Every structure is written in C-alpha cells, then in structure tokens.
Amino acid sequence: MDSAAAALDRLAGTAASKPVALLAEAFAAGGHELALVGGPVRDAFLDRTSPDLDFTTDARPDRILELVRPLASAHWDVGRAFGTIAARIGGETVEITTYRTEAYGDQSRKPEVAFGDDLETDLARRDFTVNAMALRLPDRVLVDPSGGIEDLMSRTLRTPGSPDSSFGDDPLRMLRAARFSSQLGFEVTAEVREAMARLAPRLEIVSAERMRTELERLVGSPSPRAGLELLVDTGIADLVLPELPALRLTVDSEHRHKDVYEHSLIVLEQAIELQDARRKAAGSEDTAPDLVLRLAALLHDIGKPATRRFESGGAVSFHHHDAVGASMAKKRLRALRFDNDTIARVATLIELHQRFFGYTEGAWTDSAVRRYVRDAGDQLEQLHILTRADVTTRNRRKADRLGHAYDDLETRIAELAAQEEMQAVRPDLDGEQIMAVLDVPPGRIVGEAYRFLLELRLEEGALGEAEATTRLLEWWKDRPGR
C-alpha cells in the first residue's frame, strides 16, 4: 500500500480527468453536492486501477438526469428506483447515486430504499469502512468518518457500524466480506466473523442471482481460497454452496485417505497457477479469470461424499464420483442461476477429469486418444490444466510419474493432430476431374496423377483448379512410356 500522499495525488489526478471534472462543475453549478465514493477512493490507496467511477450526491434521480443529459453521449437507468443513474461521459461510464439508506424486511428479497440528504449518513450505511470513504468535488476534500484509511493500512475488513446492523441492512454483505478477503487480501475482524456465523441464515432472503454474482467475483479473484474458507468456517457455504463443506465429511483418520476438502482448494490454486504459466508460455496477454475452469477445479470431487465406500482391507473407493459430481454441479449451478453454457462446460470438465488416470494403467490406442480429444472438444486445454492440477500427492515419485504420463499424452495428441491435418490435405483436382482432364478410365494412372498433384500441393500449397490442370497436362505429356 502506498503512502497517503501518493494516494491523494492519484485521487487528484482522477478528479482532474475529463468526465469527473465535467460532472463536478455541472453539479456545483446546479447547486448540488457530488463526491467520488467507494471503490475508486479505496483503490487509490491500494495503488490499484479501479474499473469504476462511482459518485454519490444529494440530487434525486430525476435531477441527476437533468444535470447529466447535456454532458452524456448516452445515459440509462441501472437502478432508478434505488437512486442510481448511469451515463457515458468523456469516454467513461459513470454511475451516480442519490444519498440513501437501505434495509431488508424480514422476508423481502429486495431492500427498502430511503433517500438521504448528507454524505456522512450515506457513508455510514455502506458495507465496510474501506469502502466508506469519499472525495468531495470539486473541492477535493477526503471524507473518512469511519476510519477507513486506518483499516486499509492494517488490511482489515470492518463495518462502519455494528456488523449485526450492517448485515441486517443487507445480508449479501456477508458474501462481500468473503469476496473482499480474497480480492484484496484483507482479514475480517473477529466481530465481523462472529456476526457472519450468527446471521448466515439471513442470506435465505437474498436472491440467487445476487449471490451468484458475488460467488463469481470471489472465485475469479486472485486468491479465492481465503474467501472460500471464510464461507465454510462461518457456515455461509452451507446455504450458498453446501457441496463444498460437505467434502469435509470424507475426512477419516482411521482409513487415512486424503482430505478431499483441502485437496479441492489446492487443485483450485494449482489450476490458477498452471493456467497463468501456460498462457505466459504461449505468449498470451489474456489475464481474465477462467470461471469455468475455476468452478470445475473447486467442484471436481463433490461427488465423493455420495459415492464413498469402505472396501475390504481398509481401502476407500469413490466409484463414478466424476459422473455423480457432474450431475450435482449442474443442479447447484442451476440453483444459483448460472447460464446454461457455463453449467454445461463445468459439468463436462468434472465428468472427464478422471479419464486420464486410465492412461497410466495401460497404453491407449490412437482411437482412445482421439476419443479423449473429441469428448473434450474446445475444452481440451481446460481439461489439460484441470487434470494436471488434480495431482496433489506428496509422493514425489508418483507425482513425477503422473506428470510424465500426461506429457506423453499431450505429445501424442499433438502428433495425431499433425498427422490428421496432413491427411486432410487434398490436391486441387479430385479423381473425377483427373479422369476428365486426361480422358482416362479409373485405374493406376489416376492414382499416379493424384499423387503427383498431392506432392505439388504439399510443396507449393494450393494452386487453384486452372493451374493444377495445366501442371497435370504437362506431367502427362512428359510421362515416360505414355
């Protein structure tokens, strides 16, 4: 984290940018307050680039529109009933929200919103102190009534008021706490953690869509493990993603098989690291989190509790946990209102993640390798990463053996792909055309002519029908023994 002076310099630069300056001038001229608030202010202190320009004001939504319309190339109501207007100004998308308070009723899935009249009250109702800072415009005065800067410096997540009050106002904030712990690398206070555990059942009134959005952001964060562990430890995961804490049921010291919950978190971490490494090796500039891969890594073994069997001799088996897990993942992701494509792709990876281990038990035929590629389809790269990430054994010899086996499989896949690409090359004229050009019947001559044209294609690339015909006739004229 940078010094406060450096952060204020960055905030000053943001305030001087075209869209911010235009808005500040317009609202001041219109007799209204305006402040840059939340994420952009927090991220300035963390030396992060904020993707958002969020503002708050005492102006009501209709008045916001009046002031914004002359400046905007476009504007729209993203949540007018909640006081939010969005606009495109100076090439940037901005959101401007009226000062407000909000709270959920006992059974309501939507918060009740009341507009407010002062900035400090608006900041007091926000989720965490690090998000409850604002920069008044155009004067550029920092407003931090809850000690957000101190919490930023100590990397602490704390609510402006009591956690019970904050989470009672909006239970989704408990999921946001987990998300920010992963996204920002912050620790929640003991008071916040206790309130999350106590108030977890309140999440039942929050819509599945809102919970899914927070889960996506958490899983897509740089280090999702911390947030996921917080959800499990506080009991929130029992409501949002119960298949994850259920993995702890497979821990059995007597039979000494691995901790599947811990294993799943490690697989998620390894999948992220492997994808980053493979992208870098390929020269890719893509840094976007692969939500499908990450969800599949997290959920790949959720079928194990339902399929666990104790065998003779103390062994434990999980037969068909891949198929069972794929089905369970579909059901959970549907309940969270994920889109059909994401659901199908996550399920495919889970269903296929065990397939490779048969490769180590005996040589696969070329057709078996082709089936592996065919079944993975355009998710082959994701399957490569997931399968490699699934090796978490501490036995170095076993890990090396599996790694070398998968290296061999990837090599065979590449060789077969090159071979099939070569086999797909065709000359510019087919057999019927050759017979017509040379005026010959089917037979050995047609085969020789075909091979001649194929060699030309391989040597010189596509010639086109006219040039191929000319070259074929020259070959025919010069052919010995004709």
Side-chain angles (χ1 to χ4, degrees):
M1 180 172 153
D2 275 8
S3 68
L8 290 173
D9 285 343
R10 281 191 290 273
L11 282 172
T14 301
S17 68
K18 182 178 179 180
V20 179
L22 285 172
L23 282 171
E25 182 181 346
F27 276 74
H32 290 282
E33 298 177 3
L34 184 72
L36 188 68
V37 70
V41 181
R42 177 200 69 217
D43 288 344
F45 283 90
L46 295 174
D47 195 18
R48 288 162 41 106
T49 300
S50 178
D52 307 311
L53 281 177
D54 294 333
F55 300 86
T56 188
T57 178
D58 62 339
R60 299 309 193 247
D62 288 343
R63 181 61 173 154
I64 294 174
L65 273 175
E66 289 178 13
L67 295 169
V68 165
R69 194 175 285 116
L71 309 175
S73 57
H75 58 81
W76 55 97
D77 299 351
V78 293
R80 188 165 183 168
F82 301 105
T84 301
I85 301 295
R88 189 77 178 166
I89 300 174
E92 296 280 354
T93 298
V94 303
E95 287 192 4
I96 308 162
T97 302
T98 304
Y99 298 152
R100 69 188 187 192
T101 61
E102 59 188 33
Y104 280 82
D106 290 340
Q107 301 301 323
S108 173
R109 288 185 175 270
K110 293 183 179 180
E112 299 173 3
V113 174
F115 294 139
D117 295 306
D118 67 277
L119 177 58
E120 286 75 9
T121 301
D122 179 84
L123 294 176
R125 61 93 188 168
R126 292 179 179 264
D127 53 5
F128 302 103
T129 59
V130 296
N131 296 327
M133 299 182 292
L135 186 71
R136 285 191 185 274
L137 300 169
D139 300 330
R140 303 182 187 178
V141 175
L142 184 67
V143 182
D144 179 21
S146 303
I149 292 177
E150 289 82 356
D151 287 339
L152 278 172
M153 295 182 69
S154 63
R155 308 190 77 81
T156 299
L157 276 180
R158 182 172 58 86
T159 55
S162 74
D164 289 67
S165 176
S166 180
F167 298 154
D169 286 347
D170 185 355
L172 188 70
R173 290 173 176 175
M174 292 183 279
L175 276 176
R176 286 170 64 84
R179 191 244 295 185
F180 283 128
S181 69
S182 284
Q183 201 172 62
L184 303 177
F186 284 14
E187 288 280 342
V188 300
T189 65
E191 188 181 18
V192 167
R193 181 184 290 267
E194 290 165 5
M196 290 173 67
R198 189 170 59 255
L199 299 176
R202 284 281 290 163
L203 278 164
E204 292 177 352
I205 68 171
V206 178
S207 70
E209 290 82 359
R210 294 187 74 208
M211 289 194 287
R212 180 206 66 227
T213 298
E214 285 301 324
L215 186 62
E216 286 178 335
R217 292 171 177 171
L218 193 168
V219 173
S221 66
S223 302
R225 179 181 184 129
L228 292 167
E229 287 181 325
L230 181 57
L231 293 182
V232 171
D233 293 345
T234 57
I236 290 174
D238 292 326
L239 297 168
V240 179
L241 197 64
E243 294 78 8
L244 184 59
L247 292 175
R248 295 180 300 180
L249 299 177
T250 60
V251 177
D252 188 326
S253 58
E254 179 184 349
H255 293 84
R256 297 186 179 181
H257 59 78
K258 65 186 175 185
D259 180 343
V260 183
Y261 169 66
E262 174 67 17
H263 164 76
S264 297
L265 295 176
I266 294 173
V267 171
L268 173 59
E269 292 176 317
Q270 293 188 165
I272 294 171
E273 292 171 3
L274 280 169
Q275 184 170 60
D276 288 345
R278 288 173 77 109
R279 282 173 169 175
K280 184 176 181 180
S284 172
E285 296 182 359
D286 185 9
T287 59
D290 186 336
L291 182 65
V292 167
L293 173 64
R294 293 186 182 202
L295 286 172
L298 181 64
L299 304 177
H300 75 285
D301 274 348
I302 59 173
K304 281 193 169 180
T307 58
R308 182 173 62 164
R309 299 290 182 272
F310 297 112
E311 309 290 353
S312 59
V316 180
S317 67
F318 303 97
H319 296 307
H320 308 300
H321 77 271
D322 42 4
V324 172
S327 178
M328 292 173 63
K330 287 181 182 178
K331 184 176 180 180
R332 176 54 50 198
L333 297 179
R334 285 194 193 104
L336 287 167
R337 303 292 192 271
F338 278 85
D339 64 274
N340 290 336
D341 184 62
T342 296
I343 294 171
R345 295 173 78 83
V346 170
T348 293
L349 290 177
I350 293 174
E351 190 165 6
L352 293 177
H353 85 274
Q354 282 288 105
R355 181 83 67 86
F356 158 73
F357 293 99
Y359 189 82
T360 63
E361 297 168 3
W364 278 7
T365 62
D366 286 351
S367 62
V369 175
R370 291 190 184 99
R371 278 195 297 274
Y372 187 78
V373 173
R374 179 201 64 196
D375 291 347
D378 64 355
Q379 293 185 258
L380 182 61
E381 175 67 8
Q382 291 173 315
L383 184 58
H384 287 334
I385 295 170
L386 176 59
T387 303
R388 287 183 179 275
D390 196 22
V391 178
T392 62
T393 178
R394 295 179 182 178
N395 184 323
R396 191 70 261 164
R397 182 176 296 178
K398 181 179 180 182
D400 288 344
R401 178 173 59 82
L402 291 170
H404 292 323
Y406 208 87
D407 289 342
D408 182 66
L409 176 58
E410 285 203 65
T411 299
R412 287 187 64 191
I413 289 172
E415 290 172 348
L416 284 172
Q419 178 184 337
E420 288 166 2
E421 183 177 347
M422 184 67 69
Q423 290 171 346
V425 174
R426 297 287 184 270
D428 296 277
L429 302 177
D430 62 22
E432 294 289 338
Q433 291 170 306
I434 290 171
M435 287 188 288
V437 169
L438 301 182
D439 192 23
V440 296
R444 179 175 55 83
I445 291 173
V446 178
E448 291 178 3
Y450 188 92
R451 286 190 291 276
F452 164 73
L453 290 175
L454 181 58
E455 285 298 321
L456 281 179
R457 176 66 190 273
L458 293 172
E459 288 291 329
E460 303 180 31
L463 300 174
E465 188 174 327
E467 176 64 16
T469 298
T470 299
R471 302 284 282 275
L472 177 62
L473 289 171
E474 291 174 355
W475 170 82
W476 180 241
K477 181 181 67 174
D478 298 337
R479 183 172 176 273
R482 174 175 173 270

